[in-house]
PDB file of all heavy atoms in Angstrom:
ATOM      1  N   GLU I  73      28.331  12.225 -10.566  1.00  0.00           N
ATOM      2  CA  GLU I  73      28.423  10.782 -10.788  1.00  0.00           C
ATOM      3  C   GLU I  73      27.739  10.097  -9.607  1.00  0.00           C
ATOM      4  O   GLU I  73      28.036  10.377  -8.460  1.00  0.00           O
ATOM      5  CB  GLU I  73      29.886  10.370 -10.895  1.00  0.00           C
ATOM      6  CG  GLU I  73      30.082   8.908 -11.217  1.00  0.00           C
ATOM      7  CD  GLU I  73      31.550   8.566 -11.471  1.00  0.00           C
ATOM      8  OE1 GLU I  73      32.406   9.466 -11.338  1.00  0.00           O
ATOM      9  OE2 GLU I  73      31.821   7.402 -11.775  1.00  0.00           O
ATOM     10  N   GLU I 139       6.061  21.152 -16.295  1.00  0.00           N
ATOM     11  CA  GLU I 139       7.103  20.225 -15.920  1.00  0.00           C
ATOM     12  C   GLU I 139       8.272  20.377 -16.889  1.00  0.00           C
ATOM     13  O   GLU I 139       8.074  20.541 -18.086  1.00  0.00           O
ATOM     14  CB  GLU I 139       6.607  18.775 -15.950  1.00  0.00           C
ATOM     15  CG  GLU I 139       5.541  18.461 -14.918  1.00  0.00           C
ATOM     16  CD  GLU I 139       6.065  18.509 -13.504  1.00  0.00           C
ATOM     17  OE1 GLU I 139       7.280  18.265 -13.305  1.00  0.00           O
ATOM     18  OE2 GLU I 139       5.261  18.779 -12.586  1.00  0.00           O
ATOM     19  N   PHE I 204       3.952  -3.920 -16.186  1.00  0.00           N
ATOM     20  CA  PHE I 204       4.802  -2.904 -16.833  1.00  0.00           C
ATOM     21  C   PHE I 204       6.256  -3.089 -16.435  1.00  0.00           C
ATOM     22  O   PHE I 204       7.149  -3.076 -17.278  1.00  0.00           O
ATOM     23  CB  PHE I 204       4.311  -1.504 -16.434  1.00  0.00           C
ATOM     24  CG  PHE I 204       5.337  -0.430 -16.634  1.00  0.00           C
ATOM     25  CD1 PHE I 204       5.639   0.028 -17.922  1.00  0.00           C
ATOM     26  CD2 PHE I 204       6.002   0.130 -15.563  1.00  0.00           C
ATOM     27  CE1 PHE I 204       6.603   1.021 -18.109  1.00  0.00           C
ATOM     28  CE2 PHE I 204       6.962   1.117 -15.741  1.00  0.00           C
ATOM     29  CZ  PHE I 204       7.261   1.563 -17.026  1.00  0.00           C
ATOM     30  N   THR I 219      19.256  -1.992 -13.679  1.00  0.00           N
ATOM     31  CA  THR I 219      19.421  -1.934 -12.224  1.00  0.00           C
ATOM     32  C   THR I 219      18.539  -0.860 -11.616  1.00  0.00           C
ATOM     33  O   THR I 219      17.968  -1.047 -10.538  1.00  0.00           O
ATOM     34  CB  THR I 219      20.908  -1.659 -11.867  1.00  0.00           C
ATOM     35  OG1 THR I 219      21.723  -2.579 -12.574  1.00  0.00           O
ATOM     36  CG2 THR I 219      21.134  -1.807 -10.386  1.00  0.00           C
TER      37      THR I 219
END
Side-chain angles (χ1 to χ4, degrees):
E73 184 173 2
E139 294 293 333
F204 161 75
T219 310

